[in-house]
Amino acid sequence: MSASNEEPETISLYDMVDDESEINEDQNDVDLSLNDSNQPFACNRHLEPCLNMVFDKLEDAKACYNAYARRKGFGIRVNHTRKTKNDRILVGIEYVCSKEGFRRRRDEDIERIGPERAETRVGCKAMIGLKKIEDTWVVCKFVEDHNHELLTPKSTSMLRGHRVITNAQRNLIDTLNETGIPPSKIMSVLSKESGGDYNVGCIPVDIQNYLGNKRRKLLQDGDAQGMYKYFIEQQCKNPGFVYAVEVDENGCMGNCFWADARSRIAYQYFGDVVTFDATYQTNTYKMPFVPFTGVNHHHQSVMFGCALLVNETTESYTWLLKTWLNAMLGNPSSTTITDDDKAMAKAIANVLPNATHRLCMWHILQKVPDQLSHIYNKYPYFQGEFHHCIHDTLTIEEFELGWSKIMENYGLGDNDWLGNLYMRREKWVPAYLRRKFCAGMSTTQRSESMNKFFKDYVRSSTTISDFVYQYEQALNARYLKEKEQDVKTKNSVPILKTCYKMEVEAAKVYTRKMFMKFQEELFCSQKYKASKYCEEGVKKIYKVVAHGKESPFYEVSLDTVETKAICTCHMFEFVGIICRYILAVFVKKSLVHFFPSHYILERWTINAKKRIVHEISGDVVQVEPQISSTLMRNSLMLQFLEVAEAASQSEKKYKYLGQTLQKVHEELLGMQDVCDVDDSGSPDNTTLNNQVLSNLPIALRDPPHVPSKGRPKTLRQKHPREKQLTKKRKCSICKETGHMRSNCPSHKHSREVANTSLTPHWELMHQQSQTEESSIARLNPSVIANTLHSTSFVQDSLPAATYPSTSSSSTMHIHPNQSSFTDLLQQFQES
């Protein structure tokens, strides 16, 4: 660096390394070197530009002036550029203060409907001019003075010219955004990593703009097309991944189904009971999300695939069930649980005729208060009796007897809704369904819990291309929980509560969750006593009841030859775990020294997934032999964290690492990447096994927005009290209905009359008071009249001869000759 009359000195990046570190303390812990054109080590924070200063590159000059502007408290922008006529090569440029010049008036600014933007340009003359001489850039103009107030270093970091998202920050933002973290939380993470909000180099709106631009770039080919590309990529990596998409005559996306290899394999182990339910508001197109859910050997919810439907018709559900059954190798489930939907029931009857179709008992019972509201309000004990009839009856005979009593006692024999419900009792009443294995499920709670789980990953504004990706993330989280339970089962030994050998054998066979359920039943069996009261050949009937009680009691039929027992609670048939009442009989007969094998279901054991499914490939195919850039970046970041930790121990190490990193950075930028060309076939030419793929056009158009199906408004029968007419409110002034005091017509008319008639009287009073007290300020009589709270108050406040009083209250007479204008106002205020 030199003065104007001295020989120019060349400034290089390597000469611009900071020599002092106390600047952070002087600038209130704000690092002025951050985010200067993404080159934190590029220039000296104490270097000030001057005439005839020479730079090797234009980027060096811009970084120097930008650091100077950040330190001084203003922003910069490009004002003029100069290029050669023939080659259009840049030979001159001017960087000016961001407040240079004035705003141009445009036609749209004149016709602007909203508020006008604040003025930011005030004609500041501060600038720096650079011209190219041979291969260097020389400062030919430099104006230092500003005509406006400069900002502090903390405030300068908020200016647009100093807000930059670095490449490292972009990678971190992308990672956090993919995990579902909102931009506001991302800003908190960046602030923590940078040592404060002012050192981040950007504000939350910059993060939102970056993510928005990235999303628009990804969706430039269409939302549905992006989802289709995702399916192709997943199928290339994992041949066991299947999908199916319907396309209408306009080329728009219709119903869509997909399932990965893990879900398909899990169905082969735990697909005996499946529940699926349609939920809403999971994507921007309002397409119902239908997950197929089951229970694994840890008693956790497991996914068997999912779908997005354009509507909830019988045709859509039929297509979905056929596609899903084809993806699951044609093995139908033995039990299917859904909500009370007619279209869904018709599709299940057509596609799964041999499956036991159960209705969600919770959805049915939720409608009872609406349909029987008049009974609920009239008879307070009806709810308890109805609950006892549904939940506490063990046998079919008990339920039929209890239902008949309710119909007779409350006169509900002619109720059509209850009659329709009774005709379908075999699909939802527990007394009819306890003999069928359902893995302990009587409702679609598993599907609804999965819906709640997915809400942490998706919203109603989620695009379908982002939805399928977030679904994969949610699925990974579910399988991670399953792995945790696998490790817990294999790496720990449960605490035994009894001295029976049956408990020891169960601990070795069951998973930890299912063993805890069996252990609870075995431990509680000691609270019951079993007594034999009849015998039928080799079978003996026992009556099991709690100690000290006579009811309720349970009947257990025991076959002593085969060591098989059947209880009236049917817990083993329904859940797959032997109940406490059978165990009480086993304890009485000393049959607890071993665990009968016919009471151990393989689906609840540790080896439930030991069988290999050869028809489905669960291996992930590495299409790209080279390591991905994400893995390389993460590996380098882990190594650099250790280096940065060692360099932060002293100032000498910090400076040395800074200089070394800058040199390495320059060398990396100068290296030319050599990429191996992959001659492998495209995904379309690759042989894909187990595909369920529809014929798709080249470009898949986005689906239309469809409304969700809700409950009709006239479904609920209102109680007679709800139909009674409510008392209408009356106006407090005119005592009429249809309006309130604030918009009373008579009150408005009286106010207008008062304002009109008060004007001449107030003018006369004001003229008289002006002759007595010339120092009294003029007041607007209309304003005073408008501040009165009621018409009666105005009339009562005026002389009786001019304005007769309409109320019985005392009248305040005004005598202009006796009172001044100030006294008159004081009387008004006191009254």
Side-chain angles (χ1 to χ4, degrees):
M1 180 177 59
S2 61
S4 59
N5 56 352
E6 297 178 356
E7 183 179 356
E9 180 182 357
T10 301
I11 304 298
S12 175
L13 284 175
Y14 302 106
D15 299 327
M16 298 181 183
V17 181
D18 185 16
D19 296 330
E20 299 182 13
S21 61
E22 292 81 1
I23 187 67
N24 283 340
E25 298 180 358
D26 298 338
Q27 300 295 347
N28 298 325
D29 295 334
V30 179
D31 192 353
L32 300 179
S33 66
L34 294 178
N35 301 324
D36 292 332
S37 301
N38 283 337
Q39 298 180 10
F41 304 98
C43 58
N44 191 342
R45 288 172 289 183
H46 288 250
L47 186 65
E48 295 190 7
C50 62
L51 289 175
N52 296 333
M53 182 180 291
V54 181
F55 296 91
D56 290 337
K57 300 178 182 179
L58 180 60
E59 292 77 9
D60 299 347
K62 181 182 178 181
C64 178
Y65 192 59
N66 197 40
Y68 167 78
R70 181 181 175 90
R71 184 171 68 254
K72 290 296 184 179
F74 66 97
I76 66 172
R77 59 181 175 85
V78 177
N79 189 30
H80 294 298
T81 58
R82 202 153 41 90
K83 298 181 180 180
T84 59
K85 293 182 179 181
N86 298 329
D87 301 334
R88 307 299 298 171
I89 299 176
L90 183 66
V91 295
I93 191 170
E94 287 184 1
Y95 295 104
V96 298
C97 176
S98 59
K99 291 182 175 291
E100 183 271 342
F102 298 94
R103 178 184 297 173
R104 296 179 181 178
R105 295 295 177 182
R106 302 178 181 177
D107 295 339
E108 54 266 24
D109 293 337
I110 299 175
E111 300 176 357
R112 182 187 298 272
I113 299 177
E116 188 176 2
R117 295 175 300 170
E119 185 66 58
T120 57
R121 299 190 181 185
V122 295
C124 181
K125 300 297 184 181
M127 55 86 69
I128 185 174
L130 298 163
K131 65 179 180 180
K132 188 175 183 180
I133 300 178
E134 295 180 352
D135 294 334
T136 60
W137 290 85
V138 182
V139 179
C140 59
K141 295 180 183 179
F142 179 66
V143 179
E144 183 178 1
D145 298 332
H146 298 261
N147 66 345
H148 56 88
E149 183 181 359
L150 299 178
L151 302 178
T152 61
K154 283 188 175 182
S155 302
T156 307
S157 61
M158 302 296 178
L159 295 177
R160 181 182 299 179
H162 296 290
R163 301 202 312 258
V164 179
I165 300 180
T166 64
N167 294 330
Q169 288 176 338
R170 290 192 185 97
N171 295 331
L172 181 58
I173 291 173
D174 293 339
T175 302
L176 297 177
N177 181 62
E178 290 174 359
T179 57
I181 299 178
S184 58
K185 301 297 183 181
I186 294 177
M187 184 63 189
S188 301
V189 176
L190 294 178
S191 175
K192 183 67 175 179
E193 292 292 328
S194 303
D197 294 336
Y198 300 100
N199 290 331
V200 175
C202 61
I203 58 178
V205 69
D206 297 329
I207 300 176
Q208 295 176 1
N209 292 337
Y210 167 74
L211 294 176
N213 294 334
K214 181 182 177 182
R215 187 179 299 109
R216 284 188 290 271
K217 187 178 297 184
L218 292 175
L219 298 179
Q220 62 184 357
D221 295 335
D223 193 11
Q225 189 68 18
M227 179 199 67
Y228 176 57
K229 291 181 180 178
Y230 171 83
F231 287 161
I232 292 293
E233 293 174 358
Q234 290 298 314
Q235 202 169 54
C236 290
K237 293 188 296 184
N238 188 350
F241 183 91
V242 296
Y243 67 94
V245 180
E246 276 193 331
V247 183
D248 61 9
E249 61 277 3
N250 298 323
C252 296
M253 168 190 162
N255 299 323
C256 174
F257 168 80
W258 72 97
D260 64 348
R262 295 174 299 182
S263 301
R264 299 175 65 198
I265 294 176
Y267 178 81
Q268 307 305 319
Y269 302 131
F270 314 112
D272 45 5
V273 182
V274 177
T275 172
F276 68 97
D277 182 27
T279 185
Y280 311 99
Q281 306 297 328
T282 56
N283 53 83
T284 186
Y285 302 99
K286 305 298 184 293
M287 298 178 68
F289 172 57
V290 185
F292 290 85
T293 313
V295 183
N296 64 4
H297 53 319
H298 297 292
H299 210 260
Q300 297 173 324
S301 298
V302 60
M303 297 293 297
F304 301 141
C306 68
L308 292 173
L309 302 180
V310 293
N311 51 43
E312 295 180 80
T313 60
T314 303
E315 292 76 14
S316 295
Y317 282 123
T318 301
W319 175 88
L320 174 59
L321 290 175
K322 289 182 178 179
T323 306
W324 171 74
L325 190 61
N326 189 15
M328 302 302 155
L329 305 181
N331 299 325
S333 60
S334 58
T335 303
T336 304
I337 304 176
T338 67
D339 59 356
D340 190 9
D341 188 276
K342 295 181 180 179
M344 195 179 295
K346 189 178 295 184
I348 292 175
N350 295 334
V351 182
L352 305 173
N354 298 325
T356 302
H357 181 204
R358 293 195 55 180
L359 300 179
C360 175
M361 183 173 59
W362 183 85
H363 282 91
I364 292 177
L365 297 181
Q366 282 293 104
K367 301 176 183 179
V368 175
D370 293 340
Q371 298 290 345
L372 304 178
S373 58
H374 57 292
I375 301 296
Y376 268 66
N377 289 287
K378 188 175 181 180
Y379 303 103
Y381 297 103
F382 172 79
Q383 182 177 2
E385 295 181 14
F386 191 80
H387 182 275
H388 173 77
C389 176
I390 301 299
H391 296 278
D392 298 337
T393 53
L394 297 178
T395 62
I396 297 177
E397 293 75 13
E398 291 181 10
F399 167 77
E400 294 290 347
L401 180 61
W403 185 273
S404 300
K405 289 183 178 180
I406 291 177
M407 297 298 106
E408 181 181 355
N409 295 338
Y410 297 98
L412 296 174
D414 297 334
N415 190 287
D416 296 336
W417 184 81
L418 282 178
N420 184 24
L421 206 62
Y422 179 76
M423 294 297 294
R424 298 178 296 164
R425 61 190 182 279
E426 296 180 356
K427 290 187 176 182
W428 65 275
V429 176
Y432 283 90
L433 299 171
R434 284 197 175 98
R435 295 173 177 83
K436 183 68 176 179
F437 179 76
C438 293
M441 294 188 295
S442 60
T443 66
T444 58
Q445 183 181 4
R446 291 283 176 178
S447 294
E448 294 173 359
S449 64
M450 293 302 295
N451 296 337
K452 183 180 179 181
F453 174 74
F454 281 117
K455 287 182 180 179
D456 296 336
Y457 295 86
V458 296
R459 305 183 292 274
S460 60
S461 59
T462 304
T463 60
I464 54 176
S465 58
D466 189 29
F467 179 87
V468 293
Y469 176 79
Q470 294 297 335
Y471 171 82
E472 182 187 5
Q473 302 301 315
L475 206 60
N476 293 336
R478 298 300 303 182
Y479 281 107
L480 179 61
K481 292 182 179 296
E482 180 180 337
K483 287 294 183 181
E484 292 176 357
Q485 290 298 322
D486 287 340
V487 174
K488 182 178 180 181
T489 300
K490 296 178 181 179
N491 198 40
S492 62
V493 178
I495 303 300
L496 303 181
K497 294 183 179 180
T498 66
C499 57
Y500 305 134
K501 292 184 179 180
M502 178 184 289
E503 185 180 14
V504 178
E505 295 183 11
K508 297 178 181 179
V509 175
Y510 284 133
T511 60
R512 186 67 65 248
K513 180 69 176 181
M514 300 312 299
F515 171 75
M516 299 299 293
K517 292 182 176 293
F518 169 79
Q519 188 182 54
E520 179 69 17
E521 295 296 322
L522 181 61
F523 182 77
C524 291
S525 66
Q526 303 176 72
K527 301 178 183 179
Y528 295 83
K529 63 177 181 178
S531 57
K532 184 177 67 173
Y533 71 95
C534 68
E535 188 172 349
E536 299 176 358
V538 295
K539 294 183 179 180
K540 299 179 180 180
I541 310 300
Y542 290 85
K543 179 180 179 181
V544 182
V545 67
H547 289 287
K549 296 182 180 180
E550 296 183 356
S551 63
F553 66 90
Y554 299 85
E555 292 184 1
V556 177
S557 175
L558 175 63
D559 187 344
T560 56
V561 178
E562 298 182 0
T563 321
K564 290 184 178 180
I566 299 177
C567 179
T568 53
C569 72
H570 297 288
M571 178 178 176
F572 177 75
E573 292 81 2
F574 184 71
V575 181
I577 296 293
I578 191 170
C579 67
R580 61 189 64 181
Y581 314 111
I582 294 179
L583 291 173
V585 175
F586 282 1
V587 171
K588 179 180 179 62
K589 301 296 294 182
S590 300
L591 298 176
V592 291
H593 59 278
F594 70 100
F595 202 156
S597 59
H598 51 266
Y599 282 114
I600 301 177
L601 293 186
E602 185 182 4
R603 72 174 334 275
W604 297 133
T605 63
I606 300 176
N607 300 323
K609 301 175 67 174
K610 188 176 182 180
R611 178 171 54 90
I612 300 177
V613 182
H614 298 282
E615 295 83 357
I616 302 176
S617 175
D619 299 331
V620 177
V621 179
Q622 296 292 339
V623 179
E624 299 180 359
Q626 296 181 351
I627 185 172
S628 64
S629 59
T630 304
L631 294 177
M632 290 189 292
R633 181 175 62 251
N634 294 338
S635 177
L636 291 174
M637 288 181 64
L638 292 176
Q639 298 180 34
F640 182 73
L641 285 176
E642 299 180 1
V643 177
E645 183 68 24
S648 62
Q649 302 300 322
S650 65
E651 183 179 353
K652 181 178 179 181
K653 295 180 180 179
Y654 167 75
K655 292 181 178 180
Y656 174 76
L657 180 60
Q659 297 178 11
T660 305
L661 284 177
Q662 181 60 35
K663 294 179 180 180
V664 173
H665 187 203
E666 292 291 336
E667 294 176 359
L668 291 176
L669 293 177
M671 295 175 61
Q672 190 172 5
D673 296 334
V674 179
C675 299
D676 297 333
V677 179
D678 188 7
D679 296 330
S680 60
S682 62
D684 296 336
N685 299 329
T686 305
T687 302
L688 301 176
N689 299 326
N690 301 326
Q691 276 201 20
V692 182
L693 178 61
S694 302
N695 294 325
L696 296 179
I698 298 176
L700 188 63
R701 299 177 61 183
D702 295 342
H705 292 265
V706 295
S708 58
K709 183 175 67 174
R711 186 184 69 175
K713 296 182 179 180
T714 59
L715 177 62
R716 188 175 71 90
Q717 298 179 0
K718 292 186 178 181
H719 189 268
R721 295 182 181 179
E722 301 181 52
K723 298 180 181 179
Q724 294 178 356
L725 297 177
T726 58
K727 185 178 180 181
K728 296 184 178 180
R729 299 182 61 181
K730 295 182 179 180
C731 176
S732 59
I733 296 178
C734 63
K735 308 302 181 183
E736 297 291 337
T737 60
H739 63 271
M740 303 298 295
R741 176 192 179 99
S742 58
N743 56 353
C744 179
S746 60
H747 176 56
K748 181 179 180 181
H749 176 71
S750 301
R751 182 182 293 275
E752 293 176 353
V753 173
N755 292 343
T756 306
S757 58
L758 275 174
T759 304
H761 186 77
W762 278 108
E763 290 178 352
L764 177 62
M765 293 173 56
H766 182 59
Q767 292 176 0
Q768 294 176 356
S769 63
Q770 192 174 22
T771 57
E772 297 177 2
E773 298 181 7
S774 57
S775 60
I776 300 179
R778 290 181 177 270
L779 297 179
N780 190 348
S782 61
V783 175
I784 298 177
N786 288 331
T787 57
L788 302 179
H789 297 288
S790 66
T791 305
S792 61
F793 177 79
V794 177
Q795 295 175 351
D796 292 345
S797 304
L798 298 177
T802 307
Y803 298 98
S805 176
T806 58
S807 63
S808 59
S809 59
S810 60
T811 303
M812 181 181 66
H813 297 281
I814 302 175
H815 302 281
N817 296 332
Q818 298 178 3
S819 302
S820 64
F821 196 78
T822 306
D823 297 334
L824 178 63
L825 288 177
Q826 185 176 2
Q827 293 178 16
F828 270 102
Q829 294 175 357
E830 292 176 355
S831 63

